[in-house]
Amino acid sequence: MQVFPRLVAAEHRHAFAGTAIKSGIAELDSLLGGGLTAGSSTLIIGPAGTGKSLLSLQFLASSVKRGERAGLFVFDEELGLLFSRAKSLGIDIEAMSKDGKLFVQQLDAAELSPGEFTHRVRICVDEQNIRTVAIDSLNGYQAAMPEEQFLILHLHELLQYLNRRGAATLLTVAQHGMMGDMKQPIDVTYLADTVVMLRYFEAMGRVRRAISVIKKRTGSHEDTIRELKINGNGINLGAPLVEFQGVLRGVPTYVGRRAPLMESS
């Protein structure tokens, strides 16, 4: 029998430097006001296929490139498919995992309690000195505990613990719907220090992606909306969409020239 004691974040305090965590993409770091902050949590929300997982993988890959260790906990995707998909987009997480620089664990929500999951994350961070953690996604985590109020308590303690350890934590949540009003199965936006929103929008006869930062408790950030493009080179961000209105609603009003939009390739 194995018992997983409830995590109490207040019992764990560690000194760390609140340094900026860069993504390696200048436009993304600019949107985030210089990057993420060590000891903070970031929630990435948006409908399926907008690039939430890839965005979190970008920060993990950047962390490994700096010589740090990172951890990825996957609820929603089979690892073989994830490795293949990420590699086709320029991020070889399988190689990073084999080199021992990236700790990857696939989780089955049907066989895992929130207490056991918290224990696994804590052991991973403590024993392997991991400084960037990604949980993909909270939709899968929720399946382990449908009672939302208890899920929030577990998640709050886990995020507080990781923050006190100086780790940068990334969480993804898939929202229901594709354009227009979006709904999410669990609202944890108030728990995260930074909230990044991804959206689809229609313009010039194409379905495009947009990215914006809704809040950042640890510092300032751009209040602009940028176009986001995903190709074989990974993530690319365009200039702020200053000539659009209603991008976050999905069908914007556009007045001006075509130059602000990114060319297809």
Side-chain angles (χ1 to χ4, degrees):
M1 179 181 293
Q2 188 172 8
V3 178
F4 305 101
R6 178 175 174 267
L7 177 64
V8 180
E11 298 175 353
H12 305 274
R13 294 182 181 273
H14 301 269
F16 64 91
T19 55
I21 307 296
K22 303 285 187 178
S23 68
I25 301 173
E27 295 83 359
L28 178 56
D29 292 333
S30 176
L31 185 67
L32 288 162
L36 304 179
T37 306
S40 71
S41 57
T42 300
L43 179 67
I44 306 171
I45 60 176
T50 45
K52 301 180 299 298
S53 298
L54 181 58
L55 197 63
S56 62
L57 291 178
Q58 179 65 42
F59 279 98
L60 295 180
S62 179
S63 177
V64 169
K65 189 175 181 179
R66 290 192 302 270
E68 301 172 358
R69 305 189 73 185
L72 172 62
F73 296 87
V74 183
F75 279 98
D76 301 333
E77 193 167 359
E78 196 275 325
L79 288 185
L81 179 60
L82 177 63
F83 289 162
S84 175
R85 186 167 64 88
K87 189 173 184 178
S88 70
L89 297 172
I91 301 177
D92 196 345
I93 58 177
E94 184 175 15
M96 289 186 284
S97 175
K98 289 181 178 179
D99 290 341
K101 299 175 182 177
L102 176 64
F103 178 87
V104 183
Q105 188 170 131
Q106 186 172 20
L107 305 167
D108 185 352
E111 299 179 358
L112 186 73
S113 70
E116 183 178 354
F117 171 65
T118 297
H119 177 76
R120 290 191 187 186
V121 175
R122 177 182 173 184
I123 293 299
C124 172
V125 172
D126 289 350
E127 295 184 354
Q128 302 195 37
N129 194 32
I130 285 175
R131 286 295 166 261
T132 306
V133 177
I135 301 173
D136 187 23
S137 69
L138 289 185
N139 301 73
Y141 180 59
Q142 184 193 25
M145 180 177 279
E147 299 85 358
E148 181 175 339
Q149 68 271 28
F150 298 113
L151 175 89
I152 294 294
L153 291 175
H154 278 276
L155 188 59
H156 176 268
E157 290 301 310
L158 177 59
L159 292 180
Q160 287 294 313
Y161 174 77
L162 292 172
N163 287 354
R164 292 169 187 266
R165 294 289 296 177
T169 309
L170 297 118
L171 315 146
T172 65
V173 171
Q175 295 177 300
H176 301 313
M178 300 299 282
M179 291 186 178
D181 293 334
M182 295 289 169
K183 295 181 180 179
Q184 54 201 55
I186 176 173
D187 184 12
V188 292
T189 53
Y190 64 94
L191 288 183
D193 300 304
T194 302
V195 177
V196 178
M197 180 180 291
L198 301 179
R199 282 287 183 267
Y200 288 113
F201 72 101
E202 175 192 352
M204 303 301 177
R206 293 180 181 274
V207 176
R208 302 173 182 266
R209 297 177 178 91
I211 181 171
S212 56
V213 177
I214 306 303
K215 75 169 184 177
K216 184 181 179 184
R217 288 175 181 156
T218 57
S220 60
H221 62 86
E222 281 188 14
D223 58 2
T224 60
I225 302 170
R226 291 178 178 260
E227 186 179 0
L228 179 145
K229 190 173 181 61
I230 300 173
N231 54 30
N233 296 320
I235 295 175
N236 298 278
L237 267 66
L241 298 173
V242 295
E243 295 179 318
F244 277 92
Q245 291 184 345
V247 172
L248 298 184
R249 292 196 301 270
V251 185
T253 302
Y254 176 60
V255 179
R257 48 196 177 80
R258 184 171 177 167
L261 291 171
M262 303 172 72
E263 295 296 330
S264 59
S265 59

